[in-house]
């Protein structure tokens, strides 16, 4: 209804929130781009000649495609998860990446032993002595008997199940 000046006094009708409808095509486009990047990355992984080349390529994909501020690869050496030099990190304060026992209680050790991706959506809830710096969520995906891929995020509940599944597909293509 309008007043004599044409101003709307009230609206008699239904209002529909279309936020989700607009977000859906963006989500589909984002997923399509990630799938295409993953396809390209797996071709490069299959051509990698050395473990360091595999680790470098995985780190690049985790940074470029998934935008994880901390990402890297730990290979198993003498019963320890040993980080590959050059983990990608933002300039923010990050935890010190160190060699850890595969028998310990770290996220990486648990992922390696179980053969399953392990996610801590809130690192404050973890019962271990690790210093996580500004990271609030961490995840590790196993690379068979070779080691683990680790990822860190700056907010709680930051790991999307679809993205983690793509990371698992990626690491299944590793040959070390």
């Amino acid at each position: 209804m309008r007043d004599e000046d044409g101003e709307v006094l009230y609206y008699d009708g239904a209002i529909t929130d279309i936020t989700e409808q607009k977000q859906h095509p963006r989500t589909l486009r984002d997923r399509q781009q990630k799938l295409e990047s993953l396809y390209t990355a797996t071709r490069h992984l299959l051509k990698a000649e050395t473990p360091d080349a595999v680790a470098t390529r995985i780190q690049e994909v985790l940074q470029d495609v998934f935008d994880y501020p901390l990402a890297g690869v730990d290979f198993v050496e003498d019963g320890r998860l040993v980080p590959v030099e050059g983990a990608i990190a933002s300039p923010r304060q990050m935890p010190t990446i160190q060699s850890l026992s595969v028998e310990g209680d770290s996220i990486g050790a648990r992922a390696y032993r179980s053969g399953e991706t392990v996610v801590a959506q809130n690192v404050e809830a973890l019962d271990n002595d690790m210093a996580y710096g500004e990271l609030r969520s961490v995840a590790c995906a196993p690379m068979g008997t070779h080691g683990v891929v680790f990822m860190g995020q700056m907010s709680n509940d930051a790991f999307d199940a679809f993205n983690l599944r793509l990371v698992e597909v990626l690491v299944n293509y590793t040959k070390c």
Side-chain angles (χ1 to χ4, degrees):
M1 171 176 247
R2 297 178 184 271
D3 66 12
E4 64 265 357
D5 296 327
E7 297 292 320
V8 176
L9 296 174
Y10 67 89
Y11 174 76
D12 186 17
I15 297 175
T16 304
D17 183 358
I18 62 168
T19 305
E20 280 188 35
Q21 292 173 0
K22 285 186 167 187
Q23 184 62 31
H24 185 70
R26 278 187 231 127
T27 300
L28 289 176
R29 278 192 306 275
D30 180 54
R31 287 183 173 186
Q32 180 65 31
Q33 288 172 342
K34 287 179 180 175
L35 286 169
E36 289 171 8
S37 296
L38 183 67
Y39 176 74
T40 301
T42 55
R43 286 196 339 251
H44 290 292
L45 278 176
L46 292 172
K47 295 177 185 176
E49 298 287 328
T50 67
D52 283 348
V54 168
T56 299
R57 186 65 191 137
I58 289 173
Q59 290 168 335
E60 289 170 353
V61 170
L62 293 174
Q63 177 66 32
D64 297 342
V65 175
F66 299 101
D67 197 27
Y68 294 137
L70 181 66
V73 175
D74 289 1
F75 286 123
V76 174
E77 296 176 17
D78 299 324
R80 300 192 67 75
L81 292 169
V82 179
V84 175
E85 290 293 319
I88 301 167
S90 72
R92 296 180 175 189
Q93 194 254 331
M94 291 287 162
T96 303
I97 307 301
Q98 55 191 344
S99 170
L100 299 167
S101 170
V102 296
E103 298 301 323
D105 65 350
S106 70
I107 296 286
R110 290 179 16 214
Y112 177 74
R113 287 193 312 268
S114 71
E116 302 284 331
T117 299
V118 176
V119 179
Q121 294 284 17
N122 181 356
V123 296
E124 293 173 2
L126 293 174
D127 185 24
N128 62 32
D129 296 330
M130 300 290 297
Y132 292 96
E134 291 185 23
L135 294 179
R136 295 296 166 252
S137 298
V138 294
C140 280
M143 296 189 313
T145 59
H146 305 292
V148 297
V149 172
F150 62 87
M151 301 145 282
Q153 291 279 48
M154 306 304 276
S155 59
N156 291 335
D157 301 322
F159 288 101
D160 174 77
F162 180 79
N163 288 346
L164 287 175
R165 183 65 189 124
L166 291 181
V167 170
E168 290 170 344
V169 169
L170 175 69
V171 299
N172 282 328
Y173 276 92
T174 59
K175 61 173 191 164
C176 301

